[in-house]
Amino acid sequence: MANIALFSIWAFVFSLNFGATYCYFSIPLKIYPGKYNFTTEANLSSDRVVALKSDGEGLSLASDPSGTVNFLDMVNNLQGDSGRGYYIEMSIGTPGQKLNILVDTGSSNFAVAAAPHPFITSYFNTALSSTFQSTGRSVGVRYTQGNWEGVLGTDLVSLPKGPNGTIAINIAAIQLSDSFFLPGIDWQGILGLAYPMLARPDSSVEPFFNSVVNQLGIPNMFSLQMCGAGLSASSAVNPPAGSLIMGGAEPTLYRGSIWYTPIVEEWYYQVEVLKLEVGDQSLNLDCKEYNVDKAIVDSGTTLLRLPINVFNAVVETITRSSQIENFSSGFWDGTKLACWKKDENPMELFPKLSIYLRATNASQSFRITILPQLYIQPIVDAENNLGCFRFGMSPSSSGLVIGATVMEGFYVVFDRSQKKLGFALSSCAVSDGKPLSEIAGPFSAADVAADCSGGVLKEPVLWMISYALVAVCALILIGLLLLLLLPCRHRDRGEITDESSLVRHRIK
């Protein structure tokens, strides 16, 4: 009975931990049909209307004639860098308190610091906002790095460089955090742009962009350009910036066509990766290896994170195909930097990296490629005559994450209405006049499985499994406790000696 009790208690504790883990998440559009009469009512010039072609159809207005959306007003509304995140200025509460908010497509809560913290210069003082209303509900979110806890409320928000209008939104007032706010950052909150399924404490908390679409009536799409490619976080000249365009795609921010891949599941922005190439060498892995757990596009993740088997294969292929000899393993695992003299060009030593995504035509794929300038990333100089770099990839136990390392090379369109995600060459992904990214296709997908992401348990399913395990183990534990207590009613029948298994179990 002691063994059964130990096993059951262990199972109960495991289930609680399992369930708690999935109460958090790990630190992620129908083309606007042009319902207006362009020639008479809108009077838009031809260069303000862009056709989203490649494997997409339809029109996207570069500006909304109603005046709600003017994309040019949103250009360059982001600041920041790839190492510390990209953020947008917001006015929160009444009167408005201006704060910088991190743009994160890998989560769904809108959360701001509501108490002082040593690493931030300002915070949202809820007591000074006449429109803030607390719901009294506690909320907490855990990221790949860091976590926070706070209380849910509602308030009014406007974006100085965003859609015209004030939006009533759900807001999490952060009261406690651990490794979430970091030294040197210039943002005080996070803007989760993913789907309601990821919202905490549950999907009834409407995410920010859903509120914007519902209240302002803009098209259910946004697009993102991040311009920190090839620049170190310490760069003072031409500081990295970018653009978050809400309601469509701004044609001045990309070159060529937009290529679309389906959004596999509406929680994170989950996509289907078919294969990876290092230089012209395919990794030759089963395509399900690339989609273990999930493959997502997440602006809040700095690096390109790869499942462990994929990461090891990438490093092995780079090492084998590059001109580097006796290169430190510490560079690949992120514990060491690689430094060269400033008159040397280490980028010539590294190959390109390509990711193949399934196209909206399931029998085809397209390829996005980043040059080494995007994944061999400059950092603060160790010495005046040296340039030092870090590796822009890392192993992951929670799926493949297309983070800033890749996204900085592309203009990414989050087409939520048509449930697809688009990639085009970013106009700012250029160094010394040369593009740092490439895009090509279509290619046949006949050589890969029909469903490379199949068989993956999604988070809600895992919740239900964990809750069911908790319930079962709770019932077992209650039964065992009753069995343990029953002998106490019959002590008059005989003394429980030190030889009793029950006593030994308690002592030990």
Side-chain angles (χ1 to χ4, degrees):
M1 186 171 69
N3 290 335
I4 294 175
L6 282 173
F7 174 80
S8 300
I9 291 171
W10 174 87
F12 178 68
V13 172
F14 172 80
S15 300
L16 282 176
N17 287 331
F18 187 84
T21 298
Y22 282 92
C23 286
Y24 298 98
F25 50 91
S26 300
I27 99 94
L29 78 142
K30 179 178 181 181
I31 299 304
Y32 194 60
K35 63 184 178 181
Y36 304 96
N37 184 325
F38 297 134
T39 58
T40 59
E41 295 178 16
N43 193 28
L44 294 176
S45 61
S46 60
D47 64 345
R48 303 312 306 142
V49 181
V50 55
L52 303 185
K53 297 180 180 177
S54 273
D55 55 9
E57 296 178 353
L59 294 175
S60 172
L61 291 180
S63 293
D64 180 355
S66 69
T68 301
V69 179
N70 186 337
F71 293 170
L72 292 178
D73 287 346
M74 303 184 211
V75 172
N76 294 327
N77 60 1
L78 298 183
Q79 291 298 314
D81 56 63
S82 59
R84 291 172 294 192
Y86 293 83
Y87 54 86
I88 187 169
E89 183 183 75
M90 290 187 173
S91 178
I92 307 173
T94 307
Q97 301 175 42
K98 290 188 176 180
L99 296 172
N100 293 330
I101 308 298
L102 180 74
V103 173
D104 180 26
T105 63
S107 66
S108 298
N109 282 83
F110 178 82
V112 297
H117 188 282
F119 296 150
I120 60 177
T121 56
S122 58
Y123 65 94
F124 176 49
N125 191 331
T126 58
L128 298 181
S129 174
S130 62
T131 48
F132 178 79
Q133 295 183 342
S134 174
T135 66
R137 298 179 68 190
S138 297
V139 60
V141 174
R142 183 177 302 278
Y143 303 88
T144 303
Q145 176 179 340
N147 61 83
W148 56 258
E149 297 177 6
V151 63
L152 282 175
T154 60
D155 211 333
L156 302 178
V157 170
S158 62
L159 292 87
K161 293 185 177 181
N164 294 330
T166 300
I167 313 104
I169 52 90
N170 291 299
I171 183 170
I174 299 175
Q175 298 168 332
L176 297 172
S177 64
D178 180 27
S179 301
F180 179 68
F181 300 111
L182 301 173
I185 63 168
D186 194 26
W187 46 266
Q188 299 86 38
I190 187 166
L191 173 59
L193 291 170
Y195 291 97
M197 191 181 295
L198 290 185
R200 296 297 181 264
D202 55 58
S203 59
S204 68
V205 179
E206 184 177 67
F208 176 88
F209 192 69
N210 292 63
S211 298
V212 173
V213 171
N214 293 335
Q215 294 178 41
L216 299 184
I218 68 172
N220 189 16
M221 66 183 293
F222 65 89
S223 48
L224 188 59
Q225 181 194 53
M226 303 190 299
C227 296
L231 297 174
S232 69
S234 63
S235 177
V237 181
N238 298 321
S243 303
L244 172 61
I245 308 297
M246 298 187 185
E250 168 53 47
T252 61
L253 300 180
Y254 66 89
R255 295 176 287 109
S257 299
I258 301 177
W259 292 84
Y260 285 95
T261 185
I263 295 173
V264 175
E265 189 76 16
E266 294 173 298
W267 56 328
Y268 297 94
Y269 291 98
Q270 183 180 349
V271 296
E272 188 177 6
V273 175
L274 303 190
K275 66 177 178 178
L276 263 66
E277 287 180 349
V278 175
D280 57 357
Q281 299 181 48
S282 173
L283 297 186
N284 292 322
L285 297 175
D286 187 304
C287 68
K288 291 186 183 295
E289 293 265 19
Y290 304 117
N291 301 277
V292 170
D293 190 57
K294 58 186 175 294
I296 65 173
V297 177
D298 178 10
S299 65
T301 294
T302 301
L303 307 178
L304 169 61
R305 305 190 71 228
L306 301 171
I308 295 173
N309 288 347
V310 179
F311 177 81
N312 291 337
V314 167
V315 170
E316 180 184 354
T317 308
I318 291 177
T319 304
R320 186 174 64 249
S321 62
S322 71
Q323 303 175 39
I324 299 172
E325 296 180 2
N326 300 322
F327 206 61
S328 171
S329 61
F331 176 71
W332 309 115
D333 63 25
T335 60
K336 293 184 180 180
L337 301 175
C339 300
W340 287 267
K341 292 182 179 179
K342 287 190 174 181
D343 58 354
E344 296 178 329
N345 181 15
M347 302 306 162
E348 296 178 349
L349 305 176
F350 295 91
K352 300 176 182 179
L353 178 74
S354 298
I355 301 174
Y356 285 75
L357 299 168
R358 193 180 297 277
T360 50
N361 179 343
S363 64
Q364 296 179 335
S365 68
F366 64 93
R367 179 181 68 208
I368 58 175
T369 299
I370 57 172
L371 273 62
Q373 284 88 338
L374 289 175
Y375 72 83
I376 304 298
Q377 300 172 340
I379 53 89
V380 179
D381 294 342
E383 297 181 16
N384 290 334
N385 63 333
L386 293 178
C388 294
F389 302 80
R390 69 171 182 178
F391 191 44
M393 306 180 211
S394 67
S396 167
S397 60
S398 57
L400 187 150
V401 183
I402 298 175
T405 292
V406 176
M407 293 181 71
E408 287 174 340
F410 302 92
Y411 185 66
V412 186
V413 180
F414 296 79
D415 186 337
R416 292 155 55 104
S417 289
Q418 288 194 354
K419 199 178 175 181
K420 60 185 181 181
L421 203 135
F423 288 84
L425 296 178
S426 173
S427 60
C428 67
V430 177
S431 179
D432 297 326
K434 298 180 180 179
L436 300 179
S437 57
E438 301 170 358
I439 192 165
F443 304 102
S444 172
D447 60 334
V448 297
D451 183 7
C452 294
S453 59
V456 179
L457 286 176
K458 301 299 186 293
E459 192 167 282
V461 177
L462 293 172
W463 290 346
M464 289 187 287
I465 293 174
S466 64
Y467 293 153
L469 286 172
V470 169
V472 170
C473 290
L475 291 173
I476 294 174
L477 184 60
I478 291 170
L480 289 170
L481 288 174
L482 291 173
L483 289 173
L484 291 173
L485 292 174
L486 284 176
C488 296
R489 298 180 180 179
H490 304 286
R491 289 193 175 185
D492 58 325
R493 297 184 179 180
E495 184 180 358
I496 299 178
T497 69
D498 288 344
E499 298 301 315
S500 164
S501 62
L502 182 60
V503 173
R504 289 204 306 273
H505 173 61
R506 285 179 174 174
I507 292 173
K508 292 182 178 181

